[in-house]
Amino acid sequence: WAGAKYMIAEGDTYMKYPDDETYPELLVNYVKLDRVPKFDEEWTPLLRKLQAGDFFVTSGELLFHNWGIEGAGAHRTMTADLEWTFPLEFVELVWGDGTTSDRQIISATGMAPFGKHQFKIPFDVAGKKWVRFAAWDSAGNGAFTQPVHLK
Protein backbone atom coordinates (compact mmCIF):
# COMPACT_ATOMS: atom_id res chain seq x y z
CA TRP A 1 0.00 0.00 0.00
CA ALA A 2 2.94 2.35 -0.51
CA GLY A 3 2.45 5.47 -2.59
CA ALA A 4 -0.54 7.64 -3.41
CA LYS A 5 -4.07 6.29 -2.94
CA TYR A 6 -6.87 6.98 -5.42
CA MET A 7 -10.62 6.28 -5.45
CA ILE A 8 -11.65 4.10 -8.37
CA ALA A 9 -15.34 3.82 -9.20
CA GLU A 10 -16.65 0.29 -9.44
CA GLY A 11 -19.96 -1.45 -9.28
CA ASP A 12 -20.92 -4.69 -7.63
CA THR A 13 -23.96 -6.24 -9.24
CA TYR A 14 -24.25 -9.46 -7.28
CA MET A 15 -27.59 -10.40 -8.78
CA LYS A 16 -29.05 -9.19 -12.07
CA TYR A 17 -32.55 -9.61 -13.40
CA PRO A 18 -33.68 -9.03 -17.00
CA ASP A 19 -35.48 -5.78 -16.13
CA ASP A 20 -32.61 -4.28 -14.07
CA GLU A 21 -31.04 -1.05 -15.27
CA THR A 22 -27.34 -0.95 -14.50
CA TYR A 23 -26.35 2.49 -15.82
CA PRO A 24 -28.27 4.66 -13.33
CA GLU A 25 -26.81 2.72 -10.43
CA LEU A 26 -23.10 2.89 -11.27
CA LEU A 27 -20.37 5.50 -11.09
CA VAL A 28 -17.73 5.64 -13.82
CA ASN A 29 -14.09 6.66 -14.14
CA TYR A 30 -13.23 9.25 -16.80
CA VAL A 31 -9.52 9.01 -17.62
CA LYS A 32 -7.58 11.86 -19.28
CA LEU A 33 -6.19 10.28 -22.45
CA ASP A 34 -5.20 11.71 -25.82
CA ARG A 35 -7.10 8.80 -27.36
CA VAL A 36 -8.52 5.44 -26.33
CA PRO A 37 -6.16 2.59 -27.20
CA LYS A 38 -7.47 0.07 -29.70
CA PHE A 39 -8.14 -3.44 -28.44
CA ASP A 40 -4.96 -4.86 -29.98
CA GLU A 41 -2.73 -1.95 -28.88
CA GLU A 42 -0.68 -1.44 -25.76
CA TRP A 43 -2.84 -0.32 -22.79
CA THR A 44 0.07 1.03 -20.72
CA PRO A 45 -0.97 4.69 -21.28
CA LEU A 46 -4.31 3.98 -19.57
CA LEU A 47 -2.68 2.18 -16.65
CA ARG A 48 -0.15 5.00 -16.17
CA LYS A 49 -2.96 7.59 -16.00
CA LEU A 50 -4.79 5.50 -13.39
CA GLN A 51 -1.57 5.11 -11.36
CA ALA A 52 -1.03 8.89 -11.54
CA GLY A 53 -4.60 9.71 -10.45
CA ASP A 54 -5.27 11.52 -13.73
CA PHE A 55 -8.98 10.66 -13.78
CA PHE A 56 -12.23 11.59 -12.06
CA VAL A 57 -15.29 9.74 -10.82
CA THR A 58 -18.82 10.74 -11.80
CA SER A 59 -22.39 9.54 -11.91
CA GLY A 60 -22.50 11.03 -15.43
CA GLU A 61 -24.49 14.22 -14.89
CA LEU A 62 -21.42 16.25 -13.87
CA LEU A 63 -18.26 16.30 -15.99
CA PHE A 64 -14.85 17.84 -15.43
CA HIS A 65 -13.17 19.22 -18.53
CA ASN A 66 -10.03 20.14 -16.62
CA TRP A 67 -8.81 20.54 -13.05
CA GLY A 68 -5.64 21.20 -11.12
CA ILE A 69 -3.80 23.32 -8.61
CA GLU A 70 -2.37 26.70 -9.55
CA GLY A 71 0.35 28.58 -7.72
CA ALA A 72 3.22 27.65 -5.46
CA GLY A 73 4.14 28.10 -1.85
CA ALA A 74 1.69 28.36 1.02
CA HIS A 75 -1.23 29.85 -0.92
CA ARG A 76 -2.60 27.96 -3.93
CA THR A 77 -5.82 27.74 -5.92
CA MET A 78 -7.79 24.65 -6.91
CA THR A 79 -9.34 25.16 -10.34
CA ALA A 80 -12.01 22.98 -11.92
CA ASP A 81 -13.83 23.41 -15.23
CA LEU A 82 -17.18 21.75 -14.62
CA GLU A 83 -20.24 21.05 -16.78
CA TRP A 84 -23.54 19.77 -15.34
CA THR A 85 -27.10 18.81 -16.22
CA PHE A 86 -29.25 19.39 -13.11
CA PRO A 87 -28.94 22.56 -11.00
CA LEU A 88 -25.89 22.42 -8.75
CA GLU A 89 -26.32 22.19 -5.00
CA PHE A 90 -22.74 22.74 -3.81
CA VAL A 91 -19.08 22.25 -4.60
CA GLU A 92 -16.44 21.42 -2.07
CA LEU A 93 -12.74 21.36 -1.51
CA VAL A 94 -11.80 18.30 0.55
CA TRP A 95 -8.40 17.79 2.17
CA GLY A 96 -6.56 15.60 4.62
CA ASP A 97 -3.45 15.63 6.78
CA GLY A 98 -2.89 11.87 6.96
CA THR A 99 -5.01 11.48 10.10
CA THR A 100 -8.15 13.56 9.60
CA SER A 101 -10.10 15.01 6.68
CA ASP A 102 -12.00 18.26 6.38
CA ARG A 103 -13.78 20.27 3.72
CA GLN A 104 -14.89 23.70 2.64
CA ILE A 105 -18.43 23.71 1.22
CA ILE A 106 -19.45 26.39 -1.26
CA SER A 107 -23.12 26.79 -2.12
CA ALA A 108 -23.87 26.65 -5.83
CA THR A 109 -27.67 26.85 -5.72
CA GLY A 110 -27.62 29.97 -7.89
CA MET A 111 -26.24 28.03 -10.86
CA ALA A 112 -28.79 27.19 -13.56
CA PRO A 113 -29.23 23.71 -15.06
CA PHE A 114 -27.21 22.72 -18.14
CA GLY A 115 -24.36 24.98 -17.12
CA LYS A 116 -20.59 25.31 -17.32
CA HIS A 117 -18.32 27.19 -14.96
CA GLN A 118 -14.68 27.40 -13.95
CA PHE A 119 -14.40 27.25 -10.19
CA LYS A 120 -11.36 28.76 -8.47
CA ILE A 121 -11.02 28.04 -4.77
CA PRO A 122 -8.02 29.51 -2.95
CA PHE A 123 -6.60 27.54 -0.04
CA ASP A 124 -3.69 27.48 2.37
CA VAL A 125 -1.54 24.33 2.14
CA ALA A 126 -0.54 24.42 5.83
CA GLY A 127 -1.38 21.10 7.47
CA LYS A 128 -2.68 19.54 4.24
CA LYS A 129 -1.14 16.48 2.56
CA TRP A 130 -3.71 16.28 -0.24
CA VAL A 131 -6.73 18.11 -1.68
CA ARG A 132 -9.49 17.21 -4.11
CA PHE A 133 -12.53 18.94 -5.63
CA ALA A 134 -16.09 17.58 -5.66
CA ALA A 135 -19.44 18.82 -6.98
CA TRP A 136 -22.98 17.70 -6.17
CA ASP A 137 -26.26 18.55 -7.89
CA SER A 138 -29.84 18.97 -6.70
CA ALA A 139 -30.69 15.36 -7.64
CA GLY A 140 -27.90 13.92 -5.48
CA ASN A 141 -25.52 13.18 -8.36
CA GLY A 142 -21.86 13.88 -7.89
CA ALA A 143 -18.38 13.98 -9.36
CA PHE A 144 -14.98 14.28 -7.74
CA THR A 145 -11.37 14.54 -8.78
CA GLN A 146 -8.67 12.36 -7.36
CA PRO A 147 -6.60 13.71 -4.50
CA VAL A 148 -3.72 15.95 -5.55
CA HIS A 149 -0.81 15.19 -3.22
CA LEU A 150 0.92 18.31 -1.95
CA LYS A 151 4.65 18.46 -1.50
Side-chain angles (χ1 to χ4, degrees), residues 120-142:
K120 289 183 173 264
I121 304 172
F123 68 95
D124 187 344
V125 300
K128 296 172 180 67
K129 289 189 176 180
W130 57 266
V131 297
R132 68 176 176 84
F133 183 87
W136 304 94
D137 70 17
S138 59
N141 304 303

Side-chain angles (χ1 to χ4, degrees), residues 5-67:
K5 311 290 187 288
Y6 299 110
M7 301 169 282
I8 298 174
E10 62 88 24
D12 291 323
T13 57
Y14 297 104
M15 296 178 63
K16 296 301 299 166
Y17 298 96
D19 58 342
D20 284 349
E21 289 189 56
T22 303
Y23 177 75
E25 306 299 326
L26 300 177
L27 298 174
V28 283
N29 302 297
Y30 276 73
V31 183
K32 279 188 182 180
L33 290 171
D34 294 330
R35 67 179 187 83
V36 177
K38 294 181 182 176
F39 179 76
D40 59 350
E41 291 180 333
E42 178 65 38
W43 282 74
T44 303
L46 173 65
L47 297 175
R48 285 197 176 123
K49 292 289 189 167
L50 289 171
Q51 285 177 320
D54 206 2
F55 65 100
F56 68 92
V57 174
T58 182
S59 56
E61 296 81 6
L62 298 101
L63 299 174
F64 289 103
H65 291 280
N66 201 10
W67 68 92

Side-chain angles (χ1 to χ4, degrees), residues 61-66 80-88 91 108 110-120 133 135:
E61 296 81 6
L62 298 101
L63 299 174
F64 289 103
H65 291 280
N66 201 10
D81 296 325
L82 184 66
E83 178 179 3
W84 60 87
T85 303
F86 300 111
L88 287 183
V91 299
M111 304 261 181
F114 299 102
K116 289 183 183 181
H117 183 75
Q118 181 182 65
F119 291 91
K120 289 183 173 264
F133 183 87

Side-chain angles (χ1 to χ4, degrees), residues 98-117:
T99 303
T100 61
S101 298
D102 205 349
R103 64 188 181 160
Q104 174 187 356
I105 298 174
I106 299 158
S107 176
T109 56
M111 304 261 181
F114 299 102
K116 289 183 183 181
H117 183 75

